[in-house]
Amino acid sequence: MSDSLEEEIVSIRRHLHQYPELGFNEHLTSLYVADYLRKLGLHVRSGIAGTGVVALLDSGRPGPCIAVRADMDALPLQELTGLPYASLHEGVMHACGHDGHMAMVLGAARMLTDAKAQLSGSVKFIFQPAEEMLGGARHMIDAEVLESPRVDGIVGLHLWPDLPTGVFGAKSGTVMASMDHVDITVQGRAGHGAAPHQGVDAIIAAAQLLTALQVLVSRESDPSEPVVLSMGSIHGGSLPNIIADTVEMRGTVRAIDQGTRERMKRRVTGLAEMVSSGMNAKAEVKYEFGYPPTVNDAHLIDLAEETLSSLYGKTAIQHLPHSQMTSEDMAYYMEQIPGVFLLVGAGGKVSGKYPLHHPQMTIDEKALGLGAVFLANFVSNYQERKQNC
């Protein structure tokens, strides 16, 4: 990759970083992305699922269609990095690296467009809205972005400050966990704080339940089976001298297989009802399955590692020892078609200090060119391998 293209990719990322937008509101972002892709001469569709953008590079020769995916939304955070290109949108920040994901895919689109004469089949570039909690991938799939032409495989990257720059995190099988949501309302009976026996204290019942729920991980789950249950929000009561009649709790459950997800739903619901009943209260549980686990296709993860090894050497591949308990709506695409999802090390001396979703999170921008080159070469290798099958 030329120095000028590497500088362009960094410039793209910095521009997008200054103008972050929340899920399904990525209007400026999608306009910028669509304009860049049109200038490459690609066939571009915008306004998909609200703000999604899809561009098609057709080589004019028969062959497979592979998709390259990027997410566009930012987080509701006030940026505290102090960077000269920090967010200009109050209370919104690209703290999960999506600005870099778009920059890498746009860079790859330019490289592949320049190499169109050497390609076969087609490449579809998917820029989706609302990855953060809102499941924008499902809306894009419903809008048939995997059709016309039908996509045969898909690749995606995620910048990862926890890994050093120059290293790609790879894992066969499940690379990221599912993300399910649980809302529990504990209903008691209000009373005077001086006469607690006349009411049913929802706070006490909720406290007992909060402790009991941890048993589902510490005592009911196989220690070798990754599962997380975190209650991140609890609210109840109004005044210090009133027995609270209602407490609301919200949390997340992460797992790597469907059987564990179903068991956790059953046991969280049952335990909430039983513990609350034992405290003379009632519990209403709303448990929703969210993002499924992100599962790498065996053949594509092998091809990804071969590509990385040929580009950067075997030392550029770090085999992840376990699934990440974070989640990704990339999983929805990979339920439909074979896919591969890798972590791109972006942790320099400064950027590695703060994790994703932190108001001071930064990335080592040297990782952007490495990711873009990998994407372009992976696409080329994928098409060549498919043609030879």
Side-chain angles (χ1 to χ4, degrees):
M1 181 174 59
S2 66
D3 290 343
S4 62
L5 179 53
E6 187 171 9
E7 291 171 2
E8 182 177 329
I9 292 171
V10 170
S11 177
I12 290 170
R13 182 257 167 172
R14 292 185 178 188
H15 172 85
L16 293 169
H17 190 86
Q18 287 186 293
Y19 302 100
E21 297 171 293
L22 299 177
F24 293 120
N25 288 285
E26 306 94 339
H27 303 292
L28 293 174
T29 304
S30 62
L31 284 172
Y32 180 92
V33 167
D35 182 63
Y36 185 94
L37 293 166
R38 287 192 179 100
K39 288 178 179 177
L40 293 179
L42 303 180
H43 175 69
V44 179
R45 294 166 52 213
S46 57
I48 304 170
T51 52
V53 177
V54 174
L56 183 67
L57 169 58
D58 189 346
S59 71
R61 288 174 289 279
C65 177
I66 181 170
V68 186
R69 174 264 196 179
D71 34 17
M72 300 190 297
D73 56 322
L75 288 161
L77 281 177
Q78 181 62 44
E79 181 165 352
L80 300 176
T81 62
L83 292 168
Y85 51 88
S87 171
L88 297 176
H89 290 173
E90 189 75 15
V92 187
M93 176 190 175
H94 271 301
C96 199
H98 297 185
D99 51 344
H101 300 169
M102 289 183 280
M104 288 189 290
V105 175
L106 290 174
R110 179 175 166 184
M111 283 185 276
L112 288 165
T113 301
D114 291 343
K116 180 179 176 179
Q118 285 76 52
L119 299 177
S120 59
S122 57
V123 188
K124 194 175 285 189
F125 302 97
I126 297 175
F127 292 81
Q128 69 156 83
E131 188 278 330
E132 297 289 350
M133 302 290 287
L134 299 175
R138 288 182 302 169
H139 297 268
M140 296 291 280
I141 292 168
D142 290 343
E144 300 186 341
V145 299
L146 299 181
E147 308 298 332
S148 303
R150 174 66 180 174
V151 176
D152 299 295
I154 191 167
V155 58
L157 299 177
H158 201 305
L159 290 163
W160 212 252
D162 293 344
L163 291 175
T165 304
V167 169
F168 288 72
K171 188 180 185 304
S172 60
T174 302
V175 63
M176 284 192 175
S178 60
M179 178 184 67
D180 300 328
H181 312 280
V182 56
D183 294 352
I184 303 174
T185 301
V186 178
Q187 187 68 52
R189 187 173 65 250
H192 197 293
H197 61 291
Q198 294 178 349
V200 175
D201 195 331
I203 289 179
I204 295 297
Q208 295 290 332
L209 174 57
L210 188 63
T211 301
L213 286 171
Q214 302 309 307
V215 172
L216 301 183
V217 176
S218 66
R219 287 299 177 268
E220 291 192 13
S221 297
D222 186 331
S224 64
E225 173 187 294
V227 59
V228 173
L229 190 161
S230 296
M231 302 303 293
S233 172
I234 180 167
H235 297 278
S238 56
L239 292 172
N241 63 340
I242 296 177
I243 298 296
D245 64 347
T246 304
V247 171
E248 295 179 343
M249 308 165 62
R250 303 184 67 194
T252 183
V253 179
R254 311 294 176 104
I256 65 169
D257 67 83
Q258 188 61 28
T260 301
R261 298 175 81 188
E262 292 172 356
R263 175 177 65 82
M264 291 298 289
K265 178 179 181 178
R266 183 177 65 254
R267 289 295 292 131
V268 166
T269 302
L271 194 61
E273 293 171 350
M274 287 187 292
V275 170
S276 298
S277 177
M279 302 296 293
N280 289 324
K282 295 181 180 180
E284 178 183 341
V285 181
K286 183 180 180 182
Y287 198 111
E288 295 182 347
F289 286 151
Y291 298 176
T294 305
V295 183
N296 280 329
D297 177 80
H299 297 294
L300 294 188
I301 191 69
D302 286 347
L303 180 60
E305 292 190 16
E306 290 175 17
T307 302
L308 287 170
S309 181
S310 65
L311 287 171
Y312 308 125
K314 291 184 178 180
T315 56
I317 304 168
Q318 180 168 319
H319 292 109
L320 303 173
H322 53 75
S323 305
Q324 305 300 298
M325 299 312 288
T326 48
S327 56
E328 249 287 342
D329 80 345
M330 175 76 172
Y332 288 119
Y333 300 110
M334 294 163 71
E335 281 189 322
Q336 303 292 318
I337 54 176
V340 63
F341 193 67
L342 300 177
L343 309 183
V344 183
K349 292 181 179 179
V350 176
S351 55
K353 288 185 178 181
Y354 302 102
L356 297 172
H357 292 215
H358 191 284
Q360 291 175 270
M361 193 282 292
T362 60
I363 62 166
D364 182 352
E365 292 177 321
K366 293 179 181 177
L368 301 176
L370 299 175
V373 168
F374 162 77
L375 288 172
N377 280 267
F378 178 85
V379 166
S380 178
N381 291 343
Y382 175 88
Q383 292 184 330
E384 181 179 351
R385 177 164 295 189
K386 279 285 188 178
Q387 286 290 91
N388 294 331
C389 287

